[in-house]
Amino acid sequence: MLDANLKAQLKSYLERVVQPIEIVASLDGGDKSRELQGLLQEIALLSNRITLIERTDDNERKPSFSINRPGEQTGIRFAAIPMGHEFTSLVLALLQVGGHPVKLEASVIEQIRNLDGDYAFETYISLSCQNCPEVVQALNVMSLINPRIRQVTIDGALFQDEVAQREIMAVPTTYLNGEVFGQGRTSVEEILARLDTGAHARKAEELSGKAPYDVLIVGGGPAGAAAAIYAARKGIRTGVVSERFGGQVLDTLAIENFVSVQETEGPKFATALEQHVRSYEVDIMNVQQASELVPGKLIEIKLKGGGSLKSKSVILATGARWRQINVPGEDEYRNHGVAYCPHCDGPLFKGKRVAVIGGGNSGVEAAIDLAGIVAHVTLIEYGDTLRADEVLQRKLRSLKNVTVHKSAQTTEITGDGKKVDGLGYKDRTTDEIKRIELEGVFVQIGLVPNTEWLKGTIALSRHGEIEVDAKGQTSIPGVFAAGDVTTVPFKQIVIAVGEGAKASLSAFDYLIRSVEEEMDVEQGETIDA
């Protein structure tokens, strides 16, 4: 299964293994078991510290395998053939079980070790999902640290009966002790916040006790990362507070237009952003959501989880999120047939009928990708023409299992109480209401800025974007903004990075001028005296 280049890379990684590893495979006589067996045999031959044990008489899912130390169960199991996006999860698990240091802060490791209880996690993934590895890797490392934690990574395409029985229609979906625990990207910090009930109060107290920053950046996407780097290079006290570092980039599959980087994936790009920021003295505070901005000589950012932070200047870079169509059934069937990431959830709809709402580049690209997986795609576009690039439209027209409805307004998404079974739309040329029977709806109609928490405090456009001038200054002195959350046109990564840098330089200029003004006032008071 592994080509020569991949084998060479893996062999070099496995040279970092310092402790013996046992891979225990649970197999039957099926084709997938033979495929997994071949992969594990290849891996075992690459390191003399790895032993492969094969079993056919246990009660584990087949095919699956665990990664252990001799005489010690780590709690890490893959009910999958972890290639695609999960190959990195496999390599990391091998390295960490083999004694390679875990890259977590000492306080986080201690918090995991001190969790009280027994936790059996099951995480359903698809190998094409770029969001799934973060969850898998987080739970794997937690299993390694705390022996009372168990994690099984399950490929939904491999265990379709389980997916159907549990009615899983979105990945990643994680179960804890048999009950749904969460869906979507989840970091170690987010998981801990849910398991450790006292963590919120302790964190709020810790954050409120921090000294004021010179520059506090709210948001950890490309704009926020660039702002942090430029601020830190000025030698001033810099902090970044965000829900998840990387922001919307984490949900982006392919990036092919960032200058000097020919091609990369969103999660890889986000990791590179965070590593760059961490190379400077920047205080990064993840899993925190801003709830209120209080202007003043020291600007205060109140946090949803409790506590607050203060700073001499603030840069708002909270980005945007997928826009909803806001029709009956959308919220009710979210993750039960209504989805927003075709790359992640597309494989769960193999052989089924789906709709894509939106005729821009994102919508047409989604329809093209899904057409190779599902039985049929119906694309719904509100306008009388598609807005996607012509090269994408030509590709779309060449696909026999795609139907396009233009001048069509989605009116409702219907279901049987558990999952989606259809979509209703109005033909805007005749006002006739029509219905399509299907199993999935992918919404691709653009973005909405994350500014609800700022309404009534700062000047926003009619679209909810933060109004900024040429320097990124907002309507509040000392508060700047950058990236997709602002009125700056063209929501692109490269533009967000530039705007973040500009806002940071503007904030530094504001700080310098504020110091000069204070000195002038002090000198004036001395002379008057």
Side-chain angles (χ1 to χ4, degrees):
M1 291 188 65
L2 304 176
D3 60 32
N5 183 49
L6 201 53
K7 280 185 181 180
Q9 290 182 25
L10 182 55
K11 184 177 178 63
S12 68
Y13 281 124
L14 293 177
E15 289 174 358
R16 304 175 189 177
V17 170
V18 296
Q19 298 178 6
I21 297 172
E22 287 184 350
I23 299 177
V24 182
S26 299
L27 307 170
D28 56 22
D31 291 341
K32 289 300 181 180
S33 280
R34 285 191 289 272
E35 187 178 341
L36 177 59
Q37 181 184 43
L39 171 63
L40 298 179
Q41 287 174 346
E42 288 184 65
I43 292 172
L45 290 172
L46 296 177
S47 172
N48 58 13
R49 294 187 182 274
I50 297 177
T51 301
L52 174 61
I53 301 170
E54 298 179 9
R55 292 178 178 167
T56 58
D57 58 351
D58 57 17
N59 295 322
E60 300 290 350
R61 291 179 178 87
K62 295 178 177 60
S64 68
F65 65 98
S66 59
I67 303 176
N68 305 306
R69 293 166 182 154
E72 177 187 344
Q73 295 288 326
T74 63
I76 298 174
R77 175 172 289 275
F78 288 88
I81 304 171
M83 300 300 290
H85 287 290
E86 292 301 339
F87 187 69
T88 301
S89 301
L90 170 60
V91 175
L92 279 174
L94 289 168
L95 291 176
Q96 291 165 350
V97 173
H100 193 68
V102 171
K103 292 185 178 179
L104 290 175
E105 294 180 6
S107 59
V108 174
I109 293 174
E110 189 64 19
Q111 189 179 359
I112 295 170
R113 190 174 287 126
N114 291 334
L115 284 174
D116 185 23
D118 293 305
Y119 306 94
F121 289 98
E122 300 166 289
T123 302
Y124 289 85
I125 57 97
S126 69
L127 299 181
S128 61
C129 169
Q130 75 270 22
N131 293 325
C132 296
E134 182 181 13
V135 185
V136 171
Q137 291 163 24
L139 290 170
N140 280 350
V141 77
M142 290 178 68
S143 300
L144 189 60
I145 293 168
N146 187 329
R148 299 179 71 178
I149 299 174
R150 296 285 184 269
Q151 152 68 3
V152 184
T153 300
I154 306 162
D155 181 2
L158 206 57
F159 293 89
Q160 293 184 19
D161 289 345
E162 286 189 40
V163 168
Q165 182 182 359
R166 283 180 155 173
E167 297 182 339
I168 295 169
M169 304 189 76
V171 291
T173 293
T174 299
Y175 281 73
L176 171 59
N177 298 335
E179 301 292 333
V180 174
F181 178 74
Q183 293 175 314
R185 297 187 71 97
T186 311
S187 66
V188 170
E189 291 86 353
E190 289 171 309
I191 296 168
L192 279 173
R194 295 186 61 185
L195 298 180
D196 186 352
T197 55
H200 288 294
R202 294 197 304 271
K203 193 65 178 179
E205 184 179 358
E206 175 193 334
L207 294 172
S208 295
K210 289 179 179 286
Y213 296 92
D214 293 311
V215 175
L216 177 63
I217 297 132
V218 185
I229 290 167
Y230 270 73
R233 287 177 62 86
K234 294 293 185 182
I236 57 180
R237 178 167 162 74
T238 305
V240 177
V241 60
S242 66
E243 288 188 69
R244 54 174 188 165
F245 206 99
Q248 188 192 336
V249 168
L250 290 165
D251 301 323
T252 304
L253 183 63
I255 298 171
E256 298 176 343
N257 57 359
F258 191 81
V259 180
S260 82
V261 180
Q262 288 189 355
E263 183 179 358
T264 187
E265 295 175 347
K268 290 182 180 179
F269 188 80
T271 298
L273 287 177
E274 184 168 2
Q275 289 174 344
H276 195 173
V277 173
R278 287 189 183 277
S279 69
Y280 295 95
E281 292 185 7
V282 176
D283 188 5
I284 297 177
M285 296 157 280
N286 273 324
V287 200
Q288 298 296 328
Q289 184 178 353
S291 62
E292 185 180 352
L293 185 151
V294 182
K297 186 174 182 181
L298 278 179
I299 302 158
E300 183 180 8
I301 298 293
K302 294 185 178 181
L303 303 173
K304 191 173 183 180
S308 66
L309 301 164
K310 294 183 178 180
S311 183
K312 298 174 184 176
S313 66
V314 167
I315 297 173
L316 302 172
T318 48
R321 62 187 183 277
W322 289 115
R323 185 181 298 277
Q324 294 185 255
I325 50 175
N326 295 318
V327 299
E330 181 179 16
D331 287 334
E332 181 182 354
Y333 293 107
R334 187 182 183 118
N335 295 325
H336 294 279
V338 176
Y340 299 84
C341 179
H343 305 294
C344 302
D345 301 330
L348 298 176
F349 293 85
K350 183 178 181 180
K352 297 180 180 180
R353 302 160 299 177
V354 304
V356 174
I357 300 176
N361 281 350
S362 296
V364 172
E365 285 175 351
I368 292 169
D369 290 343
L370 289 166
I373 302 171
V374 304
H376 189 270
V377 180
T378 301
L379 189 144
I380 306 290
E381 164 57 29
Y382 182 86
D384 56 6
T385 59
L386 298 182
R387 293 165 287 108
D389 296 341
E390 180 58 31
V391 63
L392 294 174
Q393 293 192 44
R394 284 199 299 269
K395 175 63 177 177
L396 186 72
R397 289 193 292 266
S398 73
L399 301 174
K400 295 181 179 179
N401 64 334
V402 175
T403 301
V404 177
H405 293 302
K406 292 177 281 191
S407 296
Q409 179 182 358
T410 303
T411 56
E412 67 173 339
I413 296 171
T414 62
D416 61 5
K418 294 183 177 179
K419 58 184 183 297
V420 166
D421 64 13
L423 176 147
Y425 73 93
K426 181 174 74 174
D427 185 331
R428 295 177 58 242
T429 61
T430 64
D431 286 339
E432 181 183 359
I433 300 295
K434 299 182 179 181
R435 173 179 161 78
I436 306 169
E437 292 186 355
L438 42 71
E439 289 75 42
V441 178
F442 289 83
V443 181
Q444 301 280 288
I445 58 169
L447 303 169
V448 58
N450 295 316
T451 56
E452 288 83 358
W453 64 289
L454 293 168
K455 288 180 179 178
T457 303
I458 204 165
L460 304 176
S461 73
R462 63 187 181 90
H463 299 296
E465 299 166 320
I466 300 173
E467 294 183 346
V468 292
D469 64 14
K471 291 186 176 181
Q473 172 70 59
T474 70
S475 60
I476 298 176
V479 179
F480 302 81
D484 289 1
V485 75
T486 72
T487 50
V488 171
F490 310 120
K491 312 306 184 185
Q492 299 289 313
I493 295 172
V494 69
I495 292 175
V497 168
E499 290 296 310
K502 182 171 68 176
S504 190
L505 294 172
S506 297
F508 182 71
D509 182 66
Y510 166 83
L511 292 171
I512 295 298
R513 293 177 183 275
S514 297
V515 171
E516 291 176 349
E517 289 174 2
E518 288 178 3
M519 290 178 63
D520 288 343
V521 169
E522 290 176 359
Q523 290 174 355
E525 290 176 348
T526 302
I527 292 171
D528 291 341

